[in-house]
């Protein structure tokens, strides 16, 4: 085997083998590495005491080997698209192996310069687009390392009513808290939506909030540089004077820091509220109180936070008429969680797409893709307390699949043979095979229920949205 081929195989093992991906022999960036040390030396192995003796030196904590290795593992697990430089997640360990000494020095001196984020637009479920800013994988790695440390330092100071992007908290907990407020007699909700929140975060106010908590100059410069790194769109880089682009690991934490001021104000006023990211619901006992709260809080957000409430998406209403994290609530003495109507509509649209009868896919291909989607959907919306809705959706899904099968069976003798082979009587099979009705109409006929019963779909592996447990 040639030396060139041997070197290529060693390089591949060092990047992709979990045992070796963090291993390298330390040295000056660009120097040839001694491969005999790759199995024992960590990529971030310290060669001097890095334990922070100064409690204000947060960057030293960020650069601890254990923190860096956890950040790298997180970025690799999240995968994600390349940024403006085209570097992929798989290429990151190899790049760090060659350049980490230089990057680390820049971070310690506060002179590291992030690259612009790549602008990506994704459609919103309710229309419009959401603008994401995708940092390079190197910048994502550094942001993740900073985020892990700052989360440990800040999270305990945040409000217990804030649930978004926090360890140990979830959307389901937020929905359950909202449900509890409604059950306690708060029959009206002040639903506040912040207009283009991530695009309008004031950098000076945000940095002021950070400096109230941290005094590490290198850290302060690094966060400021991430905020002002610019955005590349259509090949052109535009400066960013405000906003915290969605898409980077650090942005959710910074958004919680900005809105923690709102949380503390609502607690000071004695309000019952739930906030998940920029989605904030305040629960009150009357419509009049709701209107008063909406006016006061909107004024606070505009004057104090320099943000704007979106009037078209904000309202004072009954909880049953609003959605919160794609859930809504029933009215009456017993308040139950239910899936918001728009979420059901989006679900059906996706299932229609996956069970399109004209895509030329086999039934097994359709079931495989559909079941993957259903598992994820059930993991979130299975938290609802209206099983009748889930049962109806299961029946509707099976009807969609029966329509697909009917399209695979042409009218006439083929359809007759398939039906009788699956236990349908000859008279009923002949009547169904000769019917002039379309697949959707026939999908709920007695013949199809006999030929393609529920147990057939279970055997084929179709997931149910109504969990049997």
């Amino acid at each position: 085997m040639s030396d060139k081929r041997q070197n290529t195989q060693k390089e591949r093992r060092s990047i992709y083998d979990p045992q070796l991906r963090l291993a390298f022999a330390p040295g000056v960036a660009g120097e040839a590495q001694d491969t005999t040390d790759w199995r024992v030396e960590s990529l971030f192995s310290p060669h001097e005491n890095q334990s922070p003796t100064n409690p204000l030196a947060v960057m030293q904590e960020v650069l601890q080997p254990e923190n860096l290795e956890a950040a790298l593992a997180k970025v690799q697990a999240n995968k994600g698209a390349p940024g403006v430089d085209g570097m992929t997640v798989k290429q990151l360990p190899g790049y760090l192996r060659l350049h980490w000494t230089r990057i680390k020095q820049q971070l310690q001196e506060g002179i590291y310069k992030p690259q612009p984020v790549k602008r990506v637009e994704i459609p919103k479920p309710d229309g419009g687009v959401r603008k994401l800013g995708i940092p390079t994988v190197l910048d994502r790695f550094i942001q993740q390392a900073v985020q892990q440390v700052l989360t440990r330092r800040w999270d305990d100071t945040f409000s217990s009513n804030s649930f978004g992007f926090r360890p140990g908290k979830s959307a389901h907990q937020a929905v359950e808290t909202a449900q509890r407020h409604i059950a306690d007699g708060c029959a009206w909700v002040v639903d506040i939506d912040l207009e283009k929140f991530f695009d309008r975060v004031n950098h000076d106010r945000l940095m002021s909030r950070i400096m109230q908590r941290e005094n590490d100059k290198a850290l302060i410069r690094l966060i400021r540089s991430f905020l002002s790194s610019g955005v590349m769109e259509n090949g052109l880089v535009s400066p960013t004077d405000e906003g915290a682009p969605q898409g980077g690991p650090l942005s959710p934490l910074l958004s919680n820091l900005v809105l923690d001021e709102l949380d503390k104000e609502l607690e000071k006023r004695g309000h019952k509220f739930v906030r998940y990211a920029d989605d904030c619901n305040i629960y009150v006992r009357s419509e009049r109180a709701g209107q008063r709260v909406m006016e006061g809080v909107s004024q606070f957000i505009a004057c104090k936070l320099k943000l704007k409430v979106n009037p078209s998406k904000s309202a004072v209403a009954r909880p049953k008429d609003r959605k919160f994290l794609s859930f809504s609530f029933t009215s009456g003495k017993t308040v139950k969680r239910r899936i918001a109507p728009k979420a059901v509509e989006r679900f059906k649209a996706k299932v229609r797409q996956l069970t399109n009868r004209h895509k030329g896919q086999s039934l097994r291909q359709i079931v495989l893709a559909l079941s993957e989607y259903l598992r994820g959907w059930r993991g979130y919306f299975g938290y609802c307390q209206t099983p009748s809705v889930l049962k109806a959706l299961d029946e509707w899904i099976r009807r969609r699949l029966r329509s697909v099968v009917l399209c695979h069976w042409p009218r006439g003798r083929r359809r007759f043979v398939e039906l009788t082979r699956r236990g349908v009587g000859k008279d009923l099979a002949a009547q169904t095979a000769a019917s002039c009705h379309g697949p959707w109409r026939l999908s709920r006929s007695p013949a199809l229920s006999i030929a393609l019963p529920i147990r057939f779909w279970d055997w084929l592996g179709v997931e149910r949205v109504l969990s049997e447990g």
Side-chain angles (χ1 to χ4, degrees):
M1 185 181 293
S2 67
D3 291 341
K4 182 176 181 181
R5 187 175 179 183
Q6 287 178 336
N7 291 336
T8 301
Q9 289 185 345
K10 288 178 181 178
E11 183 180 354
R12 286 176 179 171
R13 286 204 309 273
S14 69
I15 295 176
Y16 300 114
D17 188 336
Q19 299 292 329
L20 301 175
R21 68 182 180 186
L22 297 181
F24 91 123
V28 179
E31 289 184 355
Q33 305 295 331
D34 181 1
T35 57
T36 59
D37 291 332
W38 280 15
R39 290 182 182 272
V40 295
E41 291 288 349
S42 169
L43 176 58
F44 309 111
S45 178
H47 294 280
E48 70 279 347
N49 182 14
Q50 287 189 327
S51 299
T53 56
N54 180 358
L56 300 180
V58 186
M59 188 57 72
Q60 293 183 33
E61 191 176 346
V62 170
L63 296 175
Q64 287 292 300
E66 297 82 2
N67 185 60
L68 294 172
E69 289 174 4
L72 180 57
K74 184 71 172 178
V75 170
Q76 288 178 315
N78 289 341
K79 300 180 181 179
V84 296
D85 62 353
M87 185 191 301
T88 65
V89 171
K90 287 185 176 181
Q91 293 171 325
L92 179 59
Y95 182 86
L96 290 173
R97 191 167 288 114
L98 293 174
H99 301 285
W100 176 243
T101 302
R102 172 179 56 82
I103 296 169
K104 176 183 173 182
Q105 184 176 355
Q106 291 175 347
L107 291 170
Q108 290 173 325
E109 296 175 0
I111 59 173
Y112 178 81
K113 296 296 181 184
Q115 297 192 60
V117 299
K118 182 168 67 174
R119 175 72 77 205
V120 177
E121 295 183 351
I122 61 173
K124 289 184 178 181
D126 298 331
V129 294
R130 176 178 285 109
K131 293 184 177 181
L132 298 183
I134 308 300
T136 64
V137 293
L138 174 61
D139 289 339
R140 292 210 294 271
F141 160 67
I142 295 172
Q143 284 193 34
Q144 181 65 36
V146 173
Q147 182 265 344
Q148 290 170 175
V149 171
L150 295 185
T151 294
R152 290 195 293 267
R153 296 170 69 92
W154 296 354
D155 191 71
D156 288 344
T157 70
F158 290 154
S159 169
S160 60
N161 297 297
S162 168
F163 293 87
F165 312 117
R166 297 184 60 190
K169 291 184 176 287
S170 67
H172 285 170
Q173 292 175 343
V175 173
E176 186 177 358
T177 302
Q179 180 184 9
R180 189 163 57 247
H181 290 327
I182 299 167
D184 288 342
C186 296
W188 291 83
V189 60
V190 182
D191 187 354
I192 295 177
D193 181 89
L194 298 179
E195 187 172 293
K196 297 182 179 179
F197 167 70
F198 283 94
D199 295 334
R200 292 186 172 175
V201 171
N202 184 283
H203 286 182
D204 291 334
R205 280 194 56 81
L206 173 56
M207 295 307 303
S208 175
R209 297 284 292 175
I210 294 172
M211 286 187 286
Q212 288 174 12
R213 293 171 176 257
E214 307 295 347
N215 233 351
D216 188 318
K217 292 183 179 179
L219 176 76
I220 299 299
R221 291 194 193 109
L222 178 63
I223 296 177
R224 169 68 82 169
S225 66
F226 276 125
L227 292 173
S228 58
S229 61
V231 175
M232 177 174 285
E233 192 170 10
N234 299 323
L236 300 176
V237 176
S238 303
T240 47
D241 300 322
E242 61 178 4
Q246 297 183 72
L250 195 54
S251 295
L253 176 62
L254 297 182
S255 71
N256 273 335
L257 180 62
V258 171
L259 294 176
D260 184 60
E261 195 170 354
L262 172 62
D263 297 340
K264 296 298 193 290
E265 180 66 20
L266 295 178
E267 290 175 345
K268 179 181 174 183
R269 297 184 185 188
H271 291 312
K272 294 182 177 181
F273 71 98
V274 183
R275 184 179 65 79
Y276 192 97
D278 57 339
D279 196 350
C280 183
N281 279 7
I282 306 169
Y283 294 90
V284 296
R285 295 183 179 275
S286 69
E287 184 179 13
R288 183 177 179 182
Q291 296 293 350
R292 185 171 61 251
V293 169
M294 174 67 83
E295 182 179 354
V297 172
S298 297
Q299 186 175 5
F300 175 84
I301 290 172
C303 298
K304 194 75 174 178
L305 302 184
K306 308 301 181 185
L307 297 169
K308 184 179 179 181
V309 172
N310 187 339
S312 64
K313 294 184 178 180
S314 303
V316 177
R318 297 284 190 181
K320 68 180 181 64
D321 298 324
R322 305 295 294 179
K323 65 178 178 67
F324 180 56
L325 302 177
S326 295
F327 283 94
S328 186
F329 304 94
T330 61
S331 56
K333 292 183 179 180
T334 304
V335 179
K336 293 183 178 181
R337 301 182 295 270
R338 67 186 181 96
I339 306 171
K342 286 188 177 180
V344 175
E345 291 175 10
R346 290 196 298 269
F347 171 79
K348 287 191 169 184
K350 182 64 176 181
V351 172
R352 288 189 186 99
Q353 176 187 338
L354 293 171
T355 58
N356 190 319
R357 301 192 294 266
H358 308 293
K359 292 175 69 173
Q361 292 180 310
S362 69
L363 184 60
R364 287 194 176 275
Q365 288 175 317
I366 291 173
V367 167
L368 186 64
L370 175 64
S371 293
E372 182 180 357
Y373 171 70
L374 295 180
R375 277 192 296 272
W377 191 89
R378 183 184 61 202
Y380 185 76
F381 288 103
Y383 188 64
C384 76
Q385 295 173 314
T386 51
S388 60
V389 175
L390 298 180
K391 182 180 179 182
L393 289 175
D394 273 329
E395 294 172 353
W396 179 79
I397 291 168
R398 287 192 290 269
R399 191 177 172 192
R400 288 285 308 177
L401 291 170
R402 290 185 182 114
S403 298
V404 171
V405 174
L406 277 173
C407 286
H408 293 173
W409 298 343
R411 283 193 180 92
R413 182 162 182 79
R414 168 71 186 281
R415 189 172 289 184
F416 173 80
V417 170
E418 295 289 353
L419 289 172
T420 54
R421 189 162 66 89
R422 287 166 171 78
V424 180
K426 290 185 177 181
D427 290 342
L428 182 58
Q431 180 183 351
T432 305
S435 174
C436 61
H437 295 303
W440 181 246
R441 175 78 173 269
L442 291 176
S443 63
R444 63 176 180 180
S445 66
L448 267 294
S449 297
I450 296 171
L452 303 171
I454 295 176
R455 64 177 179 274
F456 168 77
W457 302 113
D458 290 340
W459 171 80
L460 202 58
V462 178
E463 294 284 341
R464 297 193 191 186
V465 295
L466 176 59
S467 177
E468 295 181 4

